[in-house]
Amino acid sequence: MQKETEQPCTHLKWFGIPAIIPFIKPHRKLLLAVIVSMTLSSAIDAIFPLFQNYAITHYIGSGTLDSLPVFAISYLLLLLFQGLINVWGCYDANKAEVEVDRDVRQACFDHIQTLSFSYFNQNSVGYIHSRIIADPNRIGQIVSWGLMDIVVYLVYIISIFVVMFLLNPMLALLLLCVVPVITVVTIFFQRRLTRANRKVRERNSIITGNFNEGITGAKTIKSLVIEDKMKADFEADTQAMRLSAVRAGWLRALFQSSVIFLSSIALALVLWRGGALTRDGLMLVGSLSVFMNYATSVSTYVQELVGTIANLINSQVNIERIDRLLHTRSDVTDTPEVIAKYGDTFHPKRENWEELDGEIEFRDVTFRYPDGEENVLEHFDLTVPQGSMVAIVGETGAGKSTLVNLVCRFYEPTQGQVLIDGRDARERSQLWLHSHIGYVLQTPHLFSGTVLENLRYGNPNATMEEIEAAVRRVSADKVIARMEHGYNSEVGEGGDLLSTGEKQLLSFARALLADPRILVLDEATSSVDTLTEKAIQDAISTVTHGRTSFVIAHRLSTIRDADVILVMRDGKVVERGTHQALLDQKGYYYRLYTQQFMQETSEEAMRTSAQ
């Protein structure tokens, strides 16, 4: 999967429209109702000037008020009818927007749940967030309100020219000649305004990012004494936005003035020719007033129609991004046969799931990351008996997570097999495997909600006794006891109301609550203090008994009892063996351990002297 790049649309590409048809079809009745109601409303708008024509001809021209009550009531009833269908149309358009927005967003979110890790590695959180939030909203707007606007403007323009040709074909042709000029001018300015507004939005995004950075990084800015540089950079950004905004404003003013000027020309042509016809008795004054009304409104409606079409063109970027996302295929997929037996992510067939014992074997595994150029593993073999502990050590960036990612089937081997209980992992579903794995991350993440809600993610059916037992086993009960509302305490967004160590303990309890057959600890003790680490280590000794466990370790002193230690360097396994065997080799592991032991001894001595 490559990072997506985008180019702004400059013309209507109809092949993008079919991508959203599946989301439109369920709501076609709503959209049809919008079309019908707005067609009626625009047609009524077009015939309203005919009432003016009738009033001038029959009341002002003849000097009588006969049938005025009927005329007034008819006019008011038509206004009321138009108001009702406008309410009907706007309600349906709003409902269609919400429904389409929801369906597109849900489809995107559901699809993202099925994608492999490589997609998230190559696409930023902001990019993915925009696909799920901004793009569906834009599509919902263009499908509903965009459709409504096009119908309104198009029907009105067609209707008034039909009326004008019925009243006076020659004068209608004269006014029709102005429409192409207005259209060309509108298109000319619309393209430039779109580019100018895009620059303003880009500048505003940069300013927003810098402003956020200036706040979140305030302590760093002050410690580095770079306030003057930040001020100068911010001034440069705001100046660039000012220039872009002024240019956009200048174009907008010129555009509006041009349209007003053309509208005045259209009105002047109507007055010139229509006045002559009226003077010669070839046209009624009421009819002239109708043409004047149409002349002043046609330019506005043409302008709005072109603007709506331009918005439709711009929205194709959103449509194409959604289409690309929904057609993105995961690097890790289950075969149709596996899905038929075990179900998929959202429709599991748990009755067909076997128990997992926990024996794992790497058989001649070669692996390269989808966006990588070199093999991380080559012809790698390893058998992990049920209940064994495998520790993986190495410097930052050495590739320690690679083996775990293959065990969890977050990635597939480039060559070879990863066997679970003697069977290729690909012969059973991802969800089956993941349901038997407990994973504690180096950077713990809690979901917004209470402590209890977060713990139940590990096992929604767990009783309070089971939850309290899991919490005690990792010493998280002390953390909860300090909270004002205990298990009902809010943890904040991402667990921000807790310290990193507290979040880690709760994450550990959540993983244990799931009672996994395979336990993965990704530097799970690196974010806690020494006392907390000892409590977790005591818990690990208990909970890993009888479970296959993989421990990615930063502190080598924590994995002395591992059944096998894999030492990674530059993405390769360079040593393997028990703790003592690796020390006896006096190789890379020996140097790492000795260096870290001396550092920890020095830190302990400094803490003791400080006390």
Side-chain angles (χ1 to χ4, degrees):
M1 302 175 189
Q2 299 297 320
K3 185 176 179 180
E4 296 179 15
T5 58
E6 300 159 4
Q7 296 295 329
C9 290
T10 57
H11 61 283
L12 191 60
K13 297 182 287 184
W14 293 106
F15 61 80
I17 304 301
I20 59 172
I21 287 180
F23 301 104
I24 295 175
K25 285 180 67 176
H27 313 293
R28 55 187 179 274
K29 291 182 179 179
L30 275 177
L31 297 174
L32 180 61
V34 171
I35 293 173
V36 171
S37 59
M38 290 301 103
T39 298
L40 289 173
S41 180
S42 296
I44 291 172
D45 260 341
I47 65 174
F48 268 134
L50 296 179
F51 279 82
Q52 177 183 331
N53 178 21
Y54 184 87
I56 293 173
T57 303
H58 292 275
Y59 299 127
I60 298 176
S62 62
T64 179
L65 296 179
D66 292 342
S67 72
L68 181 60
V70 176
F71 174 85
I73 291 173
S74 301
Y75 187 78
L76 289 174
L77 287 175
L78 194 59
L79 277 176
L80 178 61
F81 177 67
Q82 186 190 41
L84 290 174
I85 61 177
N86 280 340
V87 170
W88 172 36
C90 290
Y91 171 80
D92 286 340
N94 182 72
K95 188 175 181 181
E97 176 192 1
V98 173
E99 298 283 356
V100 172
D101 180 8
R102 180 202 62 188
D103 291 352
V104 176
R105 183 176 287 118
Q106 187 67 51
C108 291
F109 185 81
D110 290 350
H111 186 68
I112 281 178
Q113 306 307 304
T114 68
L115 297 179
S116 63
F117 270 25
S118 62
Y119 179 83
F120 300 96
N121 286 342
Q122 297 178 57
N123 294 280
S124 67
V125 173
Y127 180 85
I128 299 172
H129 184 271
S130 178
R131 297 298 74 74
I132 296 182
I133 301 300
D135 288 339
N137 181 257
R138 177 67 172 158
I139 291 171
Q141 289 177 350
I142 203 66
V143 165
S144 54
W145 300 106
L147 173 65
M148 187 178 77
D149 289 343
I150 288 176
V151 171
V152 167
Y153 303 139
L154 197 57
V155 170
Y156 181 81
I157 292 170
I158 293 173
S159 297
I160 64 173
F161 276 103
V162 169
V163 174
M164 285 191 294
F165 271 101
L166 291 175
L167 291 176
N168 192 304
M170 185 179 298
L171 198 56
L173 283 172
L174 185 63
L175 188 57
L176 185 61
C177 292
V178 182
V179 173
V181 180
I182 297 173
T183 304
V184 170
V185 170
T186 301
I187 293 173
F188 175 83
F189 279 103
Q190 190 69 46
R191 289 179 174 176
R192 284 153 182 79
L193 273 170
T194 299
R195 288 197 294 268
N197 289 330
R198 186 179 293 117
K199 287 183 180 179
V200 172
R201 289 195 299 270
E202 290 172 354
R203 291 294 181 183
N204 185 63
S205 298
I206 293 173
I207 289 174
T208 302
N210 289 344
F211 189 73
N212 179 67
E213 192 174 67
I215 295 174
T216 57
K219 185 180 293 185
T220 303
I221 292 171
K222 290 183 179 298
S223 64
L224 295 174
V225 197
I226 56 173
E227 290 91 343
D228 55 343
K229 181 182 184 305
M230 298 300 293
K231 177 178 180 294
D233 291 345
F234 196 77
E235 284 180 350
D237 291 333
T238 54
Q239 175 66 5
M241 181 176 175
R242 186 187 72 83
L243 294 174
S244 297
V246 167
R247 172 173 170 75
W250 166 251
L251 283 171
R252 193 175 299 108
L254 194 59
F255 173 43
Q256 292 172 349
S257 299
S258 300
V259 172
I260 292 172
F261 175 71
L262 291 171
S263 300
S264 300
I265 290 177
L267 183 59
L269 289 172
V270 169
L271 287 173
W272 165 63
R273 187 56 188 163
L277 293 172
T278 304
R279 180 196 61 200
D280 297 337
L282 300 175
M283 187 175 186
L284 297 174
V285 175
S287 297
L288 178 60
S289 70
V290 171
F291 272 89
M292 290 175 61
N293 191 303
Y294 289 154
T296 55
S297 60
V298 68
S299 59
T300 300
Y301 276 79
V302 170
Q303 172 190 342
E304 294 295 339
L305 178 60
V306 173
T308 302
I309 293 174
N311 286 333
L312 175 61
I313 292 172
N314 291 333
S315 71
Q316 287 181 119
V317 173
N318 307 91
I319 295 172
E320 289 168 10
R321 289 191 300 212
I322 291 293
D323 190 46
R324 281 197 297 269
L325 170 60
L326 294 178
H327 283 86
T328 298
R329 291 290 167 258
S330 175
D331 294 325
V332 181
T333 57
D334 292 330
T335 64
E337 294 78 15
V338 168
I339 293 175
K341 180 178 180 181
Y342 295 92
D344 59 21
T345 303
F346 302 109
H347 307 92
K349 298 179 180 178
R350 297 181 185 275
E351 65 275 9
N352 296 332
W353 289 9
E354 302 94 345
E355 291 295 323
L356 188 148
D357 295 327
E359 179 183 312
I360 299 169
E361 179 184 355
F362 291 83
R363 183 177 293 177
D364 194 30
V365 170
T366 296
F367 176 73
R368 178 190 307 123
Y369 282 103
D371 56 341
E373 297 180 356
E374 295 184 0
N375 292 334
V376 177
L377 294 175
E378 289 184 347
H379 306 293
F380 178 74
D381 293 289
L382 176 69
T383 299
V384 182
Q386 174 189 350
S388 301
M389 177 188 289
V390 177
I392 308 170
V393 302
E395 296 177 342
T396 301
K400 299 188 293 294
S401 298
T402 300
L403 289 176
V404 170
N405 287 337
L406 290 172
V407 170
C408 297
R409 211 180 158 204
F410 294 149
Y411 293 95
E412 300 278 32
T414 306
Q415 295 177 5
Q417 296 175 302
V418 176
L419 282 71
I420 308 293
D421 292 346
R423 289 177 59 184
D424 192 319
R426 288 168 286 202
E427 295 180 7
R428 287 180 282 200
S429 73
Q430 299 174 65
L431 192 61
W432 169 83
L433 177 59
H434 296 163
S435 66
H436 290 291
I437 295 177
Y439 207 125
V440 181
L441 297 168
Q442 176 184 5
T443 305
H445 179 82
L446 299 181
F447 298 94
S448 298
T450 65
V451 171
L452 184 59
E453 289 170 342
N454 271 275
L455 292 173
R456 286 196 184 279
Y457 279 113
N459 183 357
N461 300 317
T463 64
M464 277 306 301
E465 290 75 14
E466 291 171 333
I467 292 173
E468 291 170 354
V471 166
R472 283 194 300 270
R473 294 173 81 178
V474 296
S475 300
D477 55 330
K478 299 175 183 177
V479 173
I480 298 174
R482 291 195 296 267
M483 297 181 178
E484 182 178 357
H485 301 293
Y487 284 91
N488 294 318
S489 300
E490 293 287 333
V491 300
E493 184 178 356
D496 288 343
L497 297 180
L498 306 179
S499 69
T500 302
E502 290 171 336
K503 288 190 290 185
Q504 192 66 278
L505 288 172
L506 292 177
S507 298
F508 206 96
R510 181 174 60 191
L512 295 182
L513 200 58
D515 192 24
R517 303 308 305 156
I518 300 174
L519 188 63
V520 177
L521 308 179
D522 189 350
E523 301 196 21
T525 62
S526 64
S527 300
V528 297
D529 55 55
T530 304
L531 293 177
T532 305
E533 178 187 343
K534 187 178 186 308
I536 290 181
Q537 286 301 319
D538 292 340
I540 289 175
S541 300
T542 302
V543 300
T544 56
H545 180 71
R547 292 185 175 87
T548 305
S549 54
F550 290 82
V551 181
I552 299 176
H554 171 71
R555 298 177 182 175
L556 304 184
S557 58
T558 63
I559 45 94
R560 295 172 182 171
D561 297 329
D563 295 289
V564 62
I565 299 174
L566 303 178
V567 185
M568 300 199 69
R569 187 177 188 183
D570 298 327
K572 302 289 190 298
V573 177
V574 294
E575 296 176 7
R576 70 170 73 181
T578 63
H579 172 72
Q580 190 57 52
L582 291 174
L583 288 181
D584 293 341
Q585 291 180 20
K586 295 188 181 298
Y588 184 61
Y589 178 82
Y590 175 83
R591 293 195 298 274
L592 284 178
Y593 183 82
T594 304
Q595 180 181 359
Q596 192 174 105
F597 179 78
M598 293 177 62
Q599 181 179 350
E600 291 177 356
T601 302
S602 176
E603 291 174 353
E604 181 64 27
M606 291 177 65
R607 283 196 297 269
T608 303
S609 62
Q611 294 174 355

